[in-house]
Amino acid sequence: MDLRQLRYFIGICDAGSITAAARKLHVAQPALSNHIANLEAELDVKLLHRSSSGIVPTDKGEILYAAAQRVLREVSQIPHEVSSEEDNLGGRVVIGVSDGPTNIIGAKFIKNMLARYPKITMNYVTGHSADLHRKLVRGAVDAAFIIKEPQLGGVNHRAVLHDKVFVAMRNDPNSDKHNKPISINKLRKLPFVFSYGEGDSILTYLEKSLKKARFTPQVICEVESLSVIKELVADGCACTLMSWSAAYKEVEDKRIILRPIEGLPLEYSLELCTAIDRPPSATVSAAINVLLDTIN
């Protein structure tokens, strides 16, 4: 196995076909196919699934794809870390931030990185915390700012920020209920829309807390998109449970109000995580420091 084979494998996965990858990589199709066949033979696993709709990696292929991305990313950083001063770092880094806090720090962090380290190529990834945790452990992400669930291991972590969860509701211009507690009895009569549960660490945390309070919301719909959930809440279709970081723009625009639940304070920690088996390189450490400066 060599770096060229890994580049070709990534190129095929990204392109979705041998033909498209051959054009992009400027490699003849038969040679590209031979490289992949040799790679599969060496690893003794099937890496690609071929169908009429294109090529996608198998489960083993997904593991190799993440590992290959990590290896090539680390190789790209070597020349910069060996020959450059700290202010002149380069290479590629992938940072993951969960959906809520990305509303607050996303654009600011990227701008700070561009200004501080213009030679570092950064990929900024968002999503559910559990999904980002899996990507971090597999090597597809170098560092992640997420809600770390206790049962998920394989990472070093430290609490960086605390965020509170409220009932998010449509803002009635004639009402003065913003920040006023709402009782669980009243919440039992309201329709709720929630994020699609798979991989949503906040929802997992909330389910445990609500169960202790003997409150089961009337869920009329589950939606994967955070922006769609906020639109439904702002239009008065339903309410939801949401952190301030996730809803602050809509609150400032007076489209949504946030109300604490009476007698049920909800708060969680956002943690900066890195993989236990991969100490951060100088490039990754630099990006982490910029992220922490942005948060603080």
Side-chain angles (χ1 to χ4, degrees):
M1 185 187 308
D2 58 35
L3 295 179
R4 179 172 58 174
Q5 287 177 314
L6 296 181
R7 290 192 184 96
Y8 289 170
F9 178 71
I10 289 172
I12 292 171
C13 292
D14 289 343
S17 77
I18 297 286
T19 303
R23 284 197 302 266
K24 188 172 182 179
L25 296 168
H26 305 291
V27 179
Q29 289 186 47
L32 202 55
S33 296
N34 285 337
H35 278 291
I36 299 305
N38 292 338
L39 195 56
E40 289 182 325
E42 180 180 349
L43 297 173
D44 194 26
V45 293
K46 185 175 178 62
L47 296 172
L48 298 172
H49 176 70
R50 297 164 175 82
S51 70
S52 57
S53 59
I55 290 178
V56 295
T58 62
D59 290 343
K60 296 294 185 181
E62 290 278 6
I63 294 172
L64 178 62
Y65 182 86
Q69 290 273 25
R70 182 179 71 247
V71 168
L72 294 178
R73 193 161 64 245
E74 291 176 353
V75 168
S76 75
Q77 294 171 5
I78 291 174
H80 301 282
E81 296 191 19
V82 170
S83 61
S84 298
E85 297 294 331
E86 195 270 342
D87 287 346
N88 204 29
L89 285 172
R92 181 168 169 261
V93 63
V94 183
I95 302 294
V97 178
S98 58
D99 287 327
T102 203
N103 289 313
I104 301 175
I105 67 171
K108 187 177 179 182
F109 168 54
I110 294 170
K111 289 176 184 177
N112 289 344
M113 278 295 296
L114 292 172
R116 184 73 176 82
Y117 297 106
K119 292 186 179 180
I120 293 179
T121 301
M122 189 181 71
N123 285 23
Y124 184 84
V125 183
T126 63
H128 291 316
S129 288
D131 292 334
L132 292 176
H133 178 275
R134 284 191 288 269
K135 290 180 179 179
L136 176 62
V137 172
R138 288 168 48 198
V141 167
D142 293 312
F145 185 49
I146 58 176
I147 303 167
K148 186 201 170 293
E149 296 182 32
Q151 71 273 22
L152 299 179
V155 298
N156 297 310
H157 59 97
R158 56 169 162 155
V160 174
L161 188 69
H162 295 281
D163 207 353
K164 293 183 179 180
V165 176
F166 302 88
V167 180
M169 310 174 70
R170 180 179 70 89
N171 181 35
D172 181 351
N174 299 317
S175 173
D176 61 349
K177 294 180 179 178
H178 180 60
N179 280 334
K180 290 190 175 180
I182 184 169
S183 70
I184 289 179
N185 283 337
K186 288 185 178 179
L187 291 179
R188 288 193 173 100
K189 302 174 184 178
L190 299 178
F192 278 79
V193 57
F194 274 138
S195 171
Y196 181 69
E198 184 178 356
D200 191 337
S201 297
I202 296 182
L203 189 55
T204 302
Y205 159 71
L206 290 176
E207 285 174 345
K208 294 176 182 176
S209 301
L210 297 179
K211 187 176 181 179
K212 289 180 182 178
R214 298 181 180 178
F215 170 48
T216 303
Q218 286 185 57
V219 182
I220 62 171
C221 187
E222 289 185 338
V223 181
E224 187 173 6
S225 168
L226 180 63
S227 61
V228 172
I229 290 175
K230 291 191 286 187
E231 194 67 30
L232 290 170
V233 171
D235 288 345
C237 299
C239 54
T240 192
L241 295 175
M242 188 171 288
S243 66
W244 177 84
S245 64
Y248 90 98
K249 287 183 180 179
E250 289 73 19
V251 171
E252 288 185 348
D253 292 340
K254 297 183 178 180
R255 301 184 65 226
I256 286 176
I257 61 171
L258 299 178
R259 301 181 64 182
I261 300 177
E262 197 173 86
L264 185 62
L266 298 174
E267 184 177 285
Y268 61 90
S269 295
L270 285 154
E271 307 195 11
L272 181 65
C273 301
T274 56
I276 288 176
D277 61 348
R278 295 192 315 278
S281 65
T283 299
V284 173
S285 295
I288 288 173
N289 288 335
V290 174
L291 178 61
L292 291 174
D293 288 344
T294 304
I295 293 169
N296 296 329

